[in-house]
Amino acid sequence: MSAQSSSATPRSTTAAETNMPSVKYCLDKVNAKYIHGRPEPELVPSRYALKVGSIDVMVVSDGVLNLPGAMLGHNADPAVRAAWLEDMFLPPDVLEWALNVVVVRSGGRTILIDVGIGMEFPDLPRAGKLVQRLEDAGIDLASVTDVVLTHLHMDHCGGLFVDGVKERLRPDLRVHLAAAEAKFWESPDFSRVAMPPGFPDALRRTGKRFLKEYNSQMRTFENEYEVAPGVLVTRTGGHTPGHSVVRLASGGDRLTFAGDAVFQVGFEHPDWYNGFEHDPEEAARVRVRLLRELAANRESLVATHLSFPSVCHVALDGDVFRWVPGPWEY
Ligand SMILES: [Zn+2]
């Protein structure tokens, strides 16, 4: 692969749950170096709207996840990783990841792309805000015609299990995901991930719960599916076998929601393995391919864990990439 840094030192991948502090530990570090104190949660901006041609797009924050910094690149040399975090004014051991969801309206359909984490993990109390924030934005769950799940990790599907949500969603709701994703969670492989204690079990549980509880609404696709005019969900694989991205195109404008194909560190270090990636080598290949394409066609990028509202562009920077945040458009 070109457009990669050479600073990662591949090592044998750590097994699940090794060398990772708990998320409870991470939560307690909230006033660590470079992390500000916290205002009342609803004083922070939690939604940002834009248009892609005639498609209405709204990025909604589900909150933030407190996670170990090492998850950003568990194959990287720890000293190189620590230096990168310091250069980015990020604390060395704990990060707060944004958790973005997108609402899209096109051709009379209202589409939720991912649904946040819900209440699936008790030590992540600063996420799981989606239902409240959709209400605050005037979006009734009963108006949602389609849900697209980029993959079945709990921070992307957990919102479906919040008390009362299923009852408020329409009976004819369609939930789209790649067939390969549904298949994977029947018997998921966690041998290559690096996660905090408790995560693999919680992820297995929520993946299986989705397959059981939403089986009748599930609509699977092999490689791509046009959910509504200009709204195309496309399987990439990598992060999970059925991981998918959503490409929006209308009136000459384009935006891609990359799900977990791109993390903040992925611009400078696309070859760093994220701890949630079930096939890290393939995930890195997917990331490089997507970032190169977005740099070439100059379209906008939104991703689940890029800082809210995450609307940005991708530039080539020698062998690697550069993150170019978009200006706020009021
Ligand atoms: Zn995620």
Side-chain angles (χ1 to χ4, degrees), residues 151 155-156 239 260 304-305:
H151 60 298
D155 54 325
H156 301 255
H239 185 79
D260 281 6
T304 305
H305 302 296

Side-chain angles (χ1 to χ4, degrees), residues 177-200:
L177 79 163
E181 189 68 9
K183 177 107 187 54
F184 175 70
W185 288 94
E186 290 171 8
S187 178
D189 176 3
F190 278 75
S191 61
R192 310 288 315 281
V193 303
M195 298 178 177
F199 267 52

Side-chain angles (χ1 to χ4, degrees), residues 216-235:
S216 62
Q217 282 105 330
M218 198 162 77
R219 300 287 180 274
T220 56
F221 57 90
E222 291 301 320
N223 289 310
E224 60 180 37
Y225 180 73
E226 189 171 23
V227 182
V231 182
L232 188 71
V233 54
T234 304
R235 183 172 79 88

Side-chain angles (χ1 to χ4, degrees), residues 33-72:
K33 187 181 181 188
Y34 301 136
I35 297 182
H36 298 294
R38 295 299 168 202
E40 285 299 313
E42 298 315 311
L43 290 178
V44 297
S46 61
R47 60 180 185 264
Y48 182 74
L50 61 153
K51 290 197 82 138
V52 174
S54 61
I55 303 174
D56 289 304
V57 180
M58 186 186 288
V59 184
V60 181
S61 168
D62 188 55
V64 295
L65 303 171
N66 40 285
L67 290 167
M71 288 192 75
L72 278 185

Side-chain angles (χ1 to χ4, degrees), residues 7-30:
S7 57
T9 310
R11 300 181 305 181
S12 61
T13 306
T14 43
E17 300 178 277
T18 54
N19 303 324
M20 290 288 163
S22 71
V23 289
K24 178 74 171 64
Y25 166 88
C26 297
L27 184 65
D28 291 341
K29 300 282 279 189
V30 113

